[in-house]
Amino acid sequence: MPSFEFVLIGLTLLCGFYVAWNIGANDVANAMGTSVGSGALTLRRAVLLAAVFEFAGAYLVGSNVSETVRKKMFDPAMLTDIYGDQAAYILACGMIAALMAAGTWLLIATWASWPVSTTHSIVGAVVGFAVISLGMDGPDWPKVGLISVGWIVSPMISGAIAYLLF
Protein backbone atom coordinates (compact mmCIF):
# COMPACT_ATOMS: atom_id res chain seq x y z
CA MET A 1 0.00 0.00 0.00
CA PRO A 2 1.53 3.36 -1.01
CA SER A 3 2.11 5.94 1.69
CA PHE A 4 -0.19 8.93 2.00
CA GLU A 5 2.68 11.24 0.96
CA PHE A 6 3.15 9.25 -2.26
CA VAL A 7 -0.57 9.54 -3.00
CA LEU A 8 -0.44 13.32 -2.42
CA ILE A 9 2.51 13.68 -4.78
CA GLY A 10 0.71 11.65 -7.43
CA LEU A 11 -2.49 13.68 -7.02
CA THR A 12 -0.52 16.92 -7.22
CA LEU A 13 1.14 15.84 -10.47
CA LEU A 14 -2.18 14.75 -11.99
CA CYS A 15 -3.90 17.97 -10.95
CA GLY A 16 -0.97 20.04 -12.21
CA PHE A 17 -1.20 18.41 -15.64
CA TYR A 18 -4.98 18.83 -15.61
CA VAL A 19 -4.67 22.57 -14.91
CA ALA A 20 -1.84 22.96 -17.46
CA TRP A 21 -4.00 21.32 -20.14
CA ASN A 22 -6.86 23.69 -19.38
CA ILE A 23 -4.53 26.71 -19.30
CA GLY A 24 -3.34 25.80 -22.77
CA ALA A 25 -6.89 25.36 -23.99
CA ASN A 26 -8.14 28.66 -22.56
CA ASP A 27 -5.43 31.23 -21.81
CA VAL A 28 -3.31 30.57 -24.87
CA ALA A 29 -6.40 30.56 -27.07
CA ASN A 30 -7.41 33.93 -25.56
CA ALA A 31 -3.99 35.40 -26.30
CA MET A 32 -3.53 34.01 -29.79
CA GLY A 33 -7.10 33.67 -31.11
CA THR A 34 -7.31 37.17 -32.55
CA SER A 35 -3.92 36.94 -34.25
CA VAL A 36 -4.71 33.60 -35.86
CA GLY A 37 -8.29 34.56 -36.69
CA SER A 38 -7.21 37.76 -38.44
CA GLY A 39 -4.51 35.96 -40.40
CA ALA A 40 -1.69 37.96 -38.80
CA LEU A 41 -0.17 34.68 -37.58
CA THR A 42 -0.44 31.15 -38.84
CA LEU A 43 -1.53 28.55 -36.31
CA ARG A 44 1.97 27.02 -36.38
CA ARG A 45 3.63 30.39 -35.62
CA ALA A 46 1.10 31.19 -32.89
CA VAL A 47 1.80 27.87 -31.16
CA LEU A 48 5.56 28.47 -31.43
CA LEU A 49 5.24 32.04 -30.14
CA ALA A 50 3.00 30.94 -27.28
CA ALA A 51 5.40 28.15 -26.32
CA VAL A 52 8.39 30.51 -26.26
CA PHE A 53 6.68 33.27 -24.27
CA GLU A 54 4.79 30.98 -21.89
CA PHE A 55 8.08 29.23 -21.06
CA ALA A 56 9.91 32.56 -20.72
CA GLY A 57 7.22 33.92 -18.41
CA ALA A 58 7.26 30.82 -16.25
CA TYR A 59 11.06 30.80 -16.11
CA LEU A 60 11.56 34.52 -15.47
CA VAL A 61 8.74 35.36 -13.04
CA GLY A 62 7.06 32.05 -12.26
CA SER A 63 8.78 31.65 -8.91
CA ASN A 64 7.52 35.08 -7.76
CA VAL A 65 3.96 34.19 -8.71
CA SER A 66 4.22 30.77 -7.06
CA GLU A 67 5.66 32.32 -3.91
CA THR A 68 2.77 34.81 -3.71
CA VAL A 69 0.13 32.11 -4.19
CA ARG A 70 1.88 29.70 -1.83
CA LYS A 71 2.79 31.98 1.08
CA LYS A 72 1.58 35.55 0.76
CA MET A 73 -2.18 35.27 0.24
CA PHE A 74 -2.48 33.61 3.64
CA ASP A 75 -0.01 32.46 6.26
CA PRO A 76 0.33 28.66 6.09
CA ALA A 77 1.78 28.70 9.63
CA MET A 78 -1.71 29.60 10.88
CA LEU A 79 -2.81 26.09 9.87
CA THR A 80 -0.47 24.66 12.53
CA ASP A 81 -2.27 26.65 15.24
CA ILE A 82 -5.60 25.10 14.26
CA TYR A 83 -4.72 21.65 12.89
CA GLY A 84 -1.49 20.85 14.73
CA ASP A 85 0.45 17.92 13.27
CA GLN A 86 -2.05 17.56 10.44
CA ALA A 87 -1.39 21.09 9.09
CA ALA A 88 0.95 19.93 6.31
CA TYR A 89 -1.66 17.46 5.05
CA ILE A 90 -4.41 20.08 5.27
CA LEU A 91 -2.24 22.48 3.26
CA ALA A 92 -1.43 19.86 0.63
CA CYS A 93 -5.07 18.78 0.30
CA GLY A 94 -6.23 22.40 0.19
CA MET A 95 -3.82 23.30 -2.58
CA ILE A 96 -4.79 20.17 -4.52
CA ALA A 97 -8.42 21.23 -4.12
CA ALA A 98 -7.51 24.72 -5.37
CA LEU A 99 -5.84 23.20 -8.44
CA MET A 100 -8.88 21.02 -9.12
CA ALA A 101 -11.28 23.95 -8.65
CA ALA A 102 -9.33 26.23 -10.98
CA GLY A 103 -8.84 23.46 -13.54
CA THR A 104 -12.51 22.52 -13.50
CA TRP A 105 -13.60 26.14 -13.89
CA LEU A 106 -11.19 26.54 -16.83
CA LEU A 107 -12.56 23.36 -18.41
CA ILE A 108 -16.15 24.59 -18.08
CA ALA A 109 -15.24 28.04 -19.41
CA THR A 110 -13.33 26.58 -22.35
CA TRP A 111 -16.21 24.24 -23.20
CA ALA A 112 -18.59 27.23 -23.13
CA SER A 113 -16.12 29.39 -25.15
CA TRP A 114 -15.74 31.90 -22.32
CA PRO A 115 -12.41 33.72 -22.13
CA VAL A 116 -11.43 33.63 -18.46
CA SER A 117 -8.21 34.18 -16.53
CA THR A 118 -6.26 31.33 -14.99
CA THR A 119 -4.74 33.75 -12.50
CA HIS A 120 -8.14 34.95 -11.32
CA SER A 121 -9.23 31.32 -11.04
CA ILE A 122 -6.31 30.13 -8.92
CA VAL A 123 -6.31 33.23 -6.71
CA GLY A 124 -10.03 32.73 -6.06
CA ALA A 125 -9.51 29.04 -5.31
CA VAL A 126 -6.67 29.70 -2.85
CA VAL A 127 -8.65 32.45 -1.12
CA GLY A 128 -11.57 30.01 -0.88
CA PHE A 129 -9.30 27.40 0.73
CA ALA A 130 -7.95 29.99 3.18
CA VAL A 131 -11.48 31.04 4.19
CA ILE A 132 -12.67 27.44 4.61
CA SER A 133 -9.63 26.33 6.60
CA LEU A 134 -8.89 29.50 8.60
CA GLY A 135 -12.08 31.56 8.57
CA MET A 136 -12.67 35.02 7.13
CA ASP A 137 -9.54 36.35 8.85
CA GLY A 138 -7.40 33.69 7.13
CA PRO A 139 -6.64 35.41 3.82
CA ASP A 140 -4.31 38.40 3.78
CA TRP A 141 -7.01 40.69 2.42
CA PRO A 142 -4.68 43.65 1.72
CA LYS A 143 -2.44 41.35 -0.38
CA VAL A 144 -5.48 39.90 -2.20
CA GLY A 145 -6.68 43.47 -2.78
CA LEU A 146 -3.30 44.45 -4.19
CA ILE A 147 -3.41 41.50 -6.58
CA SER A 148 -6.92 42.54 -7.65
CA VAL A 149 -5.82 46.14 -8.23
CA GLY A 150 -3.18 44.80 -10.59
CA TRP A 151 -5.93 43.20 -12.66
CA ILE A 152 -7.51 46.63 -13.16
CA VAL A 153 -4.40 48.80 -13.50
CA SER A 154 -2.47 46.50 -15.87
CA PRO A 155 -5.03 46.61 -18.73
CA MET A 156 -5.38 50.37 -18.28
CA ILE A 157 -1.61 50.89 -18.60
CA SER A 158 -1.44 48.49 -21.56
CA GLY A 159 -4.30 50.36 -23.25
CA ALA A 160 -2.60 53.71 -22.69
CA ILE A 161 0.71 52.45 -24.11
CA ALA A 162 -1.07 50.93 -27.13
CA TYR A 163 -2.87 54.23 -27.69
CA LEU A 164 0.38 56.17 -27.55
CA LEU A 165 2.18 53.74 -29.85
CA PHE A 166 -0.63 53.75 -32.39
Side-chain angles (χ1 to χ4, degrees):
M1 175 102 181
S3 70
F4 188 65
E5 290 85 5
F6 182 76
V7 171
L8 284 177
I9 290 169
L11 275 172
T12 303
L13 288 171
L14 283 173
C15 292
F17 285 120
Y18 174 67
V19 172
W21 178 270
N22 287 302
I23 290 170
N26 196 292
D27 275 10
V28 175
N30 294 340
M32 295 296 172
T34 306
S35 300
V36 173
S38 70
L41 287 175
T42 64
L43 182 59
R44 175 184 227 116
R45 286 187 179 156
V47 169
L48 180 62
L49 210 61
V52 167
F53 284 106
E54 290 285 335
F55 178 80
Y59 181 76
L60 295 173
V61 294
S63 62
N64 294 336
V65 173
S66 297
E67 187 72 13
T68 297
V69 170
R70 190 171 63 91
K71 285 186 176 176
K72 295 182 181 171
M73 291 173 45
F74 73 97
D75 183 5
M78 291 173 62
L79 293 169
T80 305
D81 298 338
I82 298 171
Y83 300 102
D85 293 342
Q86 299 302 311
Y89 295 115
I90 298 292
L91 179 61
C93 291
M95 290 302 190
I96 289 170
L99 280 174
M100 286 300 297
T104 301
W105 169 240
L106 288 169
L107 179 66
I108 291 166
T110 303
W111 178 79
S113 299
W114 298 334
V116 298
S117 167
T118 302
T119 307
H120 291 79
S121 303
I122 197 67
V123 166
V126 171
V127 167
F129 163 60
V131 168
I132 289 295
S133 61
L134 300 170
M136 286 303 290
D137 293 333
D140 182 350
W141 292 112
K143 177 59 95 175
V144 173
L146 188 61
I147 291 167
S148 300
V149 166
W151 297 336
I152 296 165
V153 172
S154 178
M156 293 172 74
I157 292 171
S158 296
I161 291 171
Y163 176 81
L164 292 172
L165 289 174
F166 185 71

